């Protein structure tokens, strides 16, 4: 969790106007999509456009993730070969399996070596959208150190499970719990599936609250108008901010005193707790709460 | 010669006269003289209703060289201007000047009359469509004069624009000339722009498609100013007169601009009890209003008034108690028309009361915040809403310059790039509104504050808003678009852009073929 990812906004990779403005919309990350948003006949054009956008546009510090096609498809390998050369922050692998993650990792290592890029710089985001992926999410994450988070893709998952997708989302309760637990276990982000109905504001808010309550750390957005609502709900609580500030203060005091290890309120504070505190403070700042 | 903004302007323009150069937004204020008018008093039992426009023209003794005026409350649904000109054309009259408050695409027949020499002059506050194109190509004999809304009222009151016959499209009119805009099939609401015409024209004619028995209450334009009344089949197309609704943008970039704008307003310190506000009917402007509304509700702020062309959204804010009154010069949609008819504190105002700099106080002078648009804005904050980057006329000030001058905080909101063109440029193609009256530019990629507003810059420093010099915004845009080459324009002046005080702020030159 090296950076807050409250929102990951999907942007179609074949829309120049949307690409041009992607960086100013306020999302923590943007997912330049060359998979579902792009028809088969436009895959090559979208690859070129996305590469050009990453090379030339200012995204104002927004994390750039490119959703590539499944490696089992005719496009996935080519996507990695092409897109990796412009070094997005991460690749999102559709319908990911352990093998896909390992393959992507090997390809990236080769490209980074050939191009003289920093090894391991391009991260991976497996997209969990099959029953297999869901049941193996922990091992998928563990397939590579490059994995920094997982995105739940509920539409494909429910199709694979042969269940109806609903606004209430009971059918993805297990998926959310399983993914959240696996991600927490591996200290990576658990990004919830997008909410598709733009006219159901109440349902959207409930959906985000449910996802957060089950341990998801952020949510994908399919429309920029969803960003603020997601940010508001994923913003840390006042209590969390206060605790995080006290951890950081204690850490600074410990540093001054030359202590490597310290405790707060009688409990030992270790690196993950400090990282989490820093992350909470960062999220609070992003949300305008500090 | 060059005016104070460095715009090259002839000292004398053929068909316009001696040029008074713009010297600064507030340099002409002080003692002024209003025109006195001649009128022919009505004799008891005299009938005002005539049978046709043809008869009206004869009674008014229309002649070569006259100035006839129209208002634009029926907007792109207006039939009256075309009907009157068609009748005039049958009389072999020449050299007519059309003083319409605005001209829209529906007024295309004017182009033909320009070609025949029947119409040789036009003055208006806003011109779009085929007439604007024809003027830009040099097809009008004399240069068009572009006023502001307040400037037109000033020019009429001062006698700079002497109207021989004013033709008033009247949604409802009684037999003795009392007019209102709230009843009838062509109801358009407030008739604010026609008031100076009614008060200062030599002859005034009401043209209506809803002739009612005396008296037609409520009365907006009263019988004391009307010479003749004529009934026609229809004065306009309801679809073009008002829109059903004006809607908040769903465009994420527009929403981002609107949100940042509302933050600027909040930080400015003006958003407190007594707050006054004006915004246009565009989607981004309405989104600003929506965010301002949220802030007012959250902080329990009660505003004094909202003004301008009134939209249903402003009516909603008023009805929710967020403003004490509405000042309305023109209704933009049906909800506004209904409110204007039904709410006592939805107050109509004349163009003079709205924005004339030479009266004892225009409404714009009491505005806290005004949201404005821009086709171009230069690094000195001068704004162009008159011409496109191709040099073709595509609008005009309307109330832009008036409200910018009057408001405590004039904010331009625009996307940094439109089409493939940067909006921030070194020098705008045409200056409509001087930079000294613009305080802030809000774009999706950053906010620039006029350096003259150090107080505001200080207030904004403590926020996380992306404040930057306007030159940086220009650079950001040009990094994406490149620097567009300026188009070559001819020497011939096709339009004179008058600032609200009657001085010349810029000219529009003829475009190439």
């Amino acid at each position: 969790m090296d950076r807050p990812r409250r929102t990951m906004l999907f942007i179609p990779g074949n829309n120049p106007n949307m690409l041009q403005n992607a960086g100013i919309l306020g999302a923590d990350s943007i997912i330049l999509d060359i998979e579902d948003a792009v028809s088969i006949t436009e895959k090559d054009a979208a690859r070129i456009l996305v590469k050009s956008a990453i090379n030339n546009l200012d995204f104002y510090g927004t994390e750039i993730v490119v959703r590539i096609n499944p490696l089992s498809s005719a496009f996935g390998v080519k996507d990695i070969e092409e897109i990796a050369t412009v070094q997005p922050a991460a690749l999102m692998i559709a319908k990911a399996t352990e093998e896909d993650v390992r393959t992507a990792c090997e390809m990236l290592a080769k490209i980074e070596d050939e191009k003289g890029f920093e090894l391991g710089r391009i991260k991976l985001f497996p997209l969990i959208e099959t029953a297999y992926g869901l049941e193996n999410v922990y091992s998928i994450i563990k397939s590579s150190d490059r994995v920094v988070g997982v995105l739940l893709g509920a539409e494909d998952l429910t199709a694979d499970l042969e269940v109806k997708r609903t606004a209430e989302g009971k059918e993805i309760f297990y998926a959310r719990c399983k993914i959240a637990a696996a991600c927490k276990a591996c200290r990576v982000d658990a990004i919830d599936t997008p909410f598709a109905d733009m006219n159901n504001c109440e349902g959207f808010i409930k959906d985000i609250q449910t996802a957060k309550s089950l341990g998801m750390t952020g949510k994908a957005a399919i429309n920029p108008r969803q960003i603020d609502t997601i940010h508001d709900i994923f913003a840390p609580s006042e209590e969390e901010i206060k605790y995080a500030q006290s951890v950081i203060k204690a850490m600074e005091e410990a540093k001054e005193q030359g202590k490597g290890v310290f405790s707060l309120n009688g409990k030992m504070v270790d690196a993950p707790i400090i990282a989490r505190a820093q992350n909470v403070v960062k999220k609070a700042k992003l949300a305008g709460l500090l | 010669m060059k005016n104070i903004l460095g715009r090259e302007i002839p000292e004398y323009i053929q068909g316009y006269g001696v040029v008074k150069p713009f010297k600064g937004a507030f340099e002409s204020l002080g003692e002024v003289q209003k025109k006195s008018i001649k009128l022919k008093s009505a004799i008891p039992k005299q009938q005002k209703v005539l049978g046709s426009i043809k008869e009206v023209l004869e009674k008014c003794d229309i002649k070569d060289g006259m100035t006839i005026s129209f208002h634009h409350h029926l907007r792109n649904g207006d039939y009256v201007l075309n009907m009157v000109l068609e009748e005039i054309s049958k009389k072999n009259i020449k050299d007519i000047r059309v003083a319409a408050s605005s001209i829209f695409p529906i007024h295309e027949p004017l182009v033909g009359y320009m070609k025949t020499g029947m119409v040789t002059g036009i003055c208006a506050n806003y011109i779009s469509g085929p007439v604007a194109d024809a003027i830009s190509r040099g097809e009008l004999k004399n240069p068009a004069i572009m006023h502001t809304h307040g400037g037109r009222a000033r020019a009429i009151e001062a006698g700079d624009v002497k109207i021989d016959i004013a033709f008033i499209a009247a949604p409802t009119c009684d037999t003795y000339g009392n007019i209102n805009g709230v009843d009838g099939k062509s109801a358009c609401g407030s008739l604010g722009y026609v008031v100076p015409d009614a008060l200062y024209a030599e002859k005034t004619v009401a043209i209506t498609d809803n002739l009612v028995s005396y008296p037609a209450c409520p009365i907006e334009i009263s019988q004391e100013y009307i010479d003749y009344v004529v009934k026609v089949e229809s004065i306009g197309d309801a679809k073009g007169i008002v829109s059903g609704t004006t809607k908040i943008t769903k465009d994420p970039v527009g929403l981002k601009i609107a949100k940042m704008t509302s933050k600027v307003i909040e930080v400015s310190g003006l958003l407190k009890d007594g707050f006054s506000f004006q915004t246009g009917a565009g989607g981004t402007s309405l989104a600003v209003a929506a965010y301002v509304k949220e802030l007012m509700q959250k902080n329990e702020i009660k505003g004094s008034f909202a003004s301008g062309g009134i939209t249903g959204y402003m009516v909603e804010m008023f009805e929710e108690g967020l403003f004490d009154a509405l000042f309305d010069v023109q209704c933009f949609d049906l909800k506004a028309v209904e409110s204007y008819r039904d709410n006592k504190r939805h107050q109509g105002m004349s163009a003079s009361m709205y924005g004339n700099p030479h009266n004892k106080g225009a409404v714009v002078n009491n505005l806290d915040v005004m949201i404005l648009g821009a086709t171009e804005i230069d690094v000195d904050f001068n704004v162009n809403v008159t011409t496109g980057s191709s040099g073709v006329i595509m609008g005009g000030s309307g109330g832009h310059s008036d409200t910018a001058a009057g408001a405590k905080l004039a904010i331009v909101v625009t996307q940094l790039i439109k089409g493939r063109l940067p909006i921030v440029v070194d020098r705008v193609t045409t200056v409509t509104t001087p930079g000294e009256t613009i305080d802030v530019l809000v774009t999706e990629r950053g906010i620039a504050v006029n350096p003259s507003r150090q107080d505001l810059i200080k207030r904004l420093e403590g926020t996380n808003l992306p404040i930057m010099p306007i030159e940086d915004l220009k650079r950001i845009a040009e990094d994406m678009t490149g620097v567009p080459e300026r188009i070559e324009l001819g020497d011939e002046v096709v339009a004179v852009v008058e600032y609200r005080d009657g001085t010349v702020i810029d000219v529009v030159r003829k475009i190439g073929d």
Side-chain angles (χ1 to χ4, degrees):
Chain A
M1 292 188 193
D2 56 338
R3 57 180 298 153
R5 290 191 187 91
R6 299 163 298 174
T7 43
M8 299 186 82
L9 173 69
F10 277 100
I11 300 282
N14 57 351
N15 185 323
N17 188 40
M18 291 179 78
L19 286 171
Q20 178 181 293
N21 291 318
I24 58 149
L25 299 171
D28 292 332
S29 308
I30 48 182
I31 303 166
L32 307 181
D33 186 15
I34 55 175
E35 194 218 2
D36 280 350
V38 177
S39 70
I40 285 174
T41 55
E42 286 189 21
K43 295 289 185 191
D44 52 347
R47 258 186 229 126
I48 294 167
L49 192 59
V50 165
K51 275 175 67 178
S52 178
I54 294 171
N55 266 337
N56 297 305
L57 294 180
D58 191 344
F59 292 99
Y60 305 98
T62 311
E63 183 182 51
I64 306 297
V65 179
V66 179
R67 177 162 79 166
I68 60 170
N69 292 281
L71 290 178
S72 56
S73 74
F75 309 104
V77 169
K78 182 78 172 164
D79 288 343
I80 295 180
E81 286 171 356
E82 293 276 328
I83 300 295
T85 62
V86 292
Q87 297 190 83
L91 296 176
M92 180 169 283
I93 304 172
K95 297 190 171 57
T97 64
E98 297 94 329
E99 194 185 338
D100 292 340
V101 171
R102 282 193 291 269
T103 303
C105 190
E106 283 163 18
M107 286 181 70
L108 289 174
K110 190 164 171 278
I111 293 164
E112 284 167 343
D113 183 45
E114 283 170 5
K115 297 277 181 188
F117 296 160
E118 182 191 333
L119 189 65
R121 182 171 167 187
I122 302 172
K123 305 299 182 189
L124 291 172
F125 245 99
L127 181 47
I128 301 301
E129 50 185 351
T130 63
Y132 177 87
L134 181 60
E135 283 308 299
N136 295 279
V137 59
Y138 179 81
S139 60
I140 290 171
I141 297 169
K142 282 293 182 189
S143 299
S144 168
D145 289 344
R146 290 181 190 258
V147 176
V148 289
V150 159
L151 176 69
L152 165 61
E155 290 298 330
D156 280 295
L157 177 64
T158 50
D160 197 33
L161 293 171
E162 297 183 56
V163 296
K164 195 178 168 194
R165 181 86 175 94
T166 67
E168 293 73 30
K170 281 182 187 168
E171 69 282 359
I172 56 168
F173 172 76
Y174 168 70
R176 280 168 159 163
C177 294
K178 177 133 187 158
I179 288 172
C183 289
K184 285 281 188 290
C186 301
R187 295 287 183 264
V188 299
D189 284 317
I191 310 300
D192 194 44
T193 190
F195 188 82
D197 185 355
M198 286 300 298
N199 296 318
N200 182 1
C201 294
E202 203 180 314
F204 179 47
I205 289 168
K206 274 187 190 163
D207 191 59
I208 309 166
Q209 287 168 335
T210 303
K212 186 183 178 190
S213 73
L214 297 176
M216 304 302 277
T217 57
K219 189 168 181 70
I222 51 165
N223 189 304
R225 283 186 282 145
Q226 295 180 319
I227 292 169
D228 283 352
T229 310
I230 298 173
H231 282 185
D232 285 347
I233 295 171
F234 273 106
S237 68
E238 205 174 320
E239 196 183 340
E240 285 172 317
I241 296 168
K242 273 186 187 163
Y243 176 70
Q245 285 176 316
S246 64
V247 168
I248 289 166
K249 193 177 167 205
M251 178 195 74
E252 282 162 358
E253 283 169 2
K255 253 188 198 172
E256 274 174 22
Q257 291 162 15
K259 289 182 190 169
V261 181
F262 64 96
S263 63
L264 181 67
N265 303 332
K267 288 180 186 170
M268 288 300 292
V269 175
D270 59 6
I273 291 175
I274 293 168
R276 176 185 282 222
Q278 286 167 332
N279 208 18
V280 166
V281 168
K282 202 169 179 179
K283 280 184 181 178
K285 281 182 181 166
L286 275 169
L289 300 172
L290 279 177
Chain B
M1 68 173 163
K2 284 186 175 172
N3 68 13
I4 198 170
L5 300 177
R7 310 301 291 198
E8 191 63 56
I9 297 165
E11 288 178 24
Y12 180 86
I13 299 171
Q14 189 67 37
Y16 175 78
V18 176
V19 168
K20 285 185 282 180
F22 175 70
K23 290 180 177 169
F26 308 103
E27 289 304 305
S28 77
L29 302 181
E31 249 181 45
V32 292
Q33 185 71 45
K34 283 194 180 181
K35 178 194 174 193
S36 60
I37 58 155
K38 275 192 297 187
L39 59 85
K40 197 171 176 185
S41 55
I43 298 161
K45 295 178 190 167
Q46 181 183 323
Q47 296 298 308
K48 290 189 181 182
V49 178
L50 300 180
S52 66
I53 293 173
K54 185 182 169 193
E55 196 182 342
V56 163
L57 295 176
E58 282 162 11
K59 283 273 186 190
C60 293
D61 193 21
I62 188 155
K63 288 196 285 264
D64 291 358
M66 277 190 163
T67 295
I68 58 173
S69 81
F70 302 89
H71 68 77
H72 74 272
H73 287 283
L74 306 185
R75 294 200 293 248
N76 204 35
D78 173 50
Y79 292 165
V80 170
L81 187 148
N82 294 346
M83 278 193 294
V84 171
L85 288 179
E86 191 184 346
E87 280 304 321
I88 293 174
S89 73
K90 292 174 187 167
K91 297 176 75 67
N92 199 29
I93 299 280
K94 298 284 181 200
D95 200 19
I96 290 291
R97 179 161 70 153
V98 173
S101 52
S102 294
I103 290 173
F104 291 95
I106 196 168
H107 299 126
E108 184 174 11
L110 252 174
V111 177
Y113 301 128
M114 286 157 59
K115 286 177 179 165
T116 63
M118 183 180 101
V119 173
T120 54
I122 289 176
C123 47
N125 314 341
Y126 179 95
I127 310 176
S128 66
V131 179
D133 293 344
I135 292 170
S136 306
R137 289 193 304 269
E139 291 181 18
L140 183 67
K141 184 183 172 194
N142 298 317
I145 304 171
M146 311 285 290
H147 289 121
T148 72
H149 285 331
R152 180 178 189 270
R154 182 211 59 76
I156 293 170
E157 292 180 13
D160 293 352
V161 174
K162 179 182 164 294
I163 299 168
D164 295 296
I165 313 171
F167 294 94
I168 300 176
T172 287
C173 185
D174 67 33
T175 50
Y176 211 50
N178 293 299
I179 297 169
N180 74 58
V182 294
D183 295 322
K185 63 181 178 182
S186 305
C188 59
S190 170
L191 296 173
Y193 294 124
V194 79
V195 175
D197 306 47
L199 268 58
Y200 287 87
E202 293 275 321
K203 287 278 188 299
T204 308
V205 180
I207 299 180
T208 188
D209 55 9
N210 188 35
L211 183 65
V212 297
S213 54
Y214 184 85
C217 296
I219 296 168
E220 282 186 76
I221 307 291
S222 99
Q223 60 191 48
E224 64 199 295
Y225 304 111
I226 305 298
D227 292 282
Y228 301 112
V229 175
V230 63
K231 184 176 187 304
V232 294
E233 179 66 30
S234 174
I235 62 168
D237 175 3
K239 281 185 222 147
I241 294 171
V242 285
S243 63
T245 53
T246 36
K247 286 184 179 165
I248 295 169
T249 186
K250 288 185 175 175
D251 169 39
V253 176
L255 288 170
K256 180 180 169 91
I257 292 169
K259 187 153 200 185
M260 290 199 295
T261 305
S262 69
K263 183 76 181 167
V264 170
I265 294 169
E266 186 180 21
V267 174
S268 74
L270 294 166
L271 193 56
K272 56 190 179 193
D273 281 342
F275 174 68
S276 58
F277 183 57
Q278 183 172 330
T279 185
T284 302
S285 296
L286 288 174
V288 176
Y291 286 124
V292 167
K293 178 179 166 179
E294 274 179 27
L295 289 170
M296 290 177 81
Q297 285 171 330
K298 187 176 126 196
N299 300 312
E300 295 182 0
I301 291 164
K302 174 148 185 174
S304 55
F305 73 91
S307 63
I310 294 295
T311 60
Y313 199 81
M314 299 315 290
V315 170
E316 272 177 35
M317 291 176 76
F318 164 69
E319 288 178 345
E320 285 173 29
L322 295 173
F323 289 109
D324 193 36
L326 295 175
F327 279 124
D328 191 346
V329 71
Q330 174 184 27
C331 297
F332 275 129
D333 55 29
L334 290 168
K335 193 174 170 69
V337 175
E338 283 168 22
S339 165
Y340 179 61
R341 183 188 61 211
D342 299 337
N343 286 315
K344 278 187 182 169
R345 297 192 69 81
H346 186 153
Q347 172 71 52
M349 63 176 166
S350 70
S352 190
M353 180 179 174
Y354 174 34
N356 180 356
H358 291 174
N359 61 25
K360 293 180 183 176
V363 167
V364 295
N365 295 353
N366 286 334
L367 266 177
D368 284 329
V369 176
M370 175 66 200
I371 308 300
L372 299 156
T375 308
E376 291 175 322
I377 180 165
D378 68 26
V379 291
D380 296 321
F381 288 84
N382 297 309
V383 176
N384 173 21
V385 288
T386 302
T387 51
S389 57
S390 60
V392 176
I393 296 166
M394 49 167 288
S397 177
H400 200 283
S401 306
D402 301 316
T403 50
K408 291 188 184 75
L409 181 63
I411 306 176
V412 170
V413 297
T414 179
Q415 298 204 5
L416 190 58
I417 295 160
K418 282 183 189 166
R420 293 174 293 111
L421 295 172
I423 297 303
V424 185
V425 293
D426 280 325
R427 280 170 64 80
V428 289
T429 308
T430 310
V431 179
T432 312
T433 298
E436 68 174 294
T437 62
I438 301 294
D439 299 299
V440 184
L441 165 65
V442 181
T443 75
E444 74 281 11
R445 283 175 165 77
I447 298 170
V449 184
N450 193 324
S452 68
R453 290 300 308 269
Q454 287 301 318
D455 58 321
L456 190 58
I457 291 170
K458 279 209 179 88
R459 279 178 175 270
L460 291 164
E461 269 169 2
T463 69
N464 57 3
L465 289 168
I467 308 297
M468 60 186 74
I470 195 165
E471 290 81 2
D472 285 5
L473 285 176
K474 177 174 164 285
R475 183 187 46 73
I476 290 169
E478 288 177 353
D479 282 350
M480 298 172 79
T481 64
V483 183
E485 272 187 34
R486 304 297 302 210
I487 49 125
E488 289 296 319
L489 296 168
D491 291 332
E492 186 185 334
V493 173
V494 295
V496 177
V497 184
E498 279 192 3
Y499 191 59
R500 55 202 299 254
D501 62 5
T503 59
V504 175
I505 194 163
D506 210 343
V507 292
V508 180
R509 295 178 193 275
K510 185 179 171 182
I511 57 164
D513 292 327

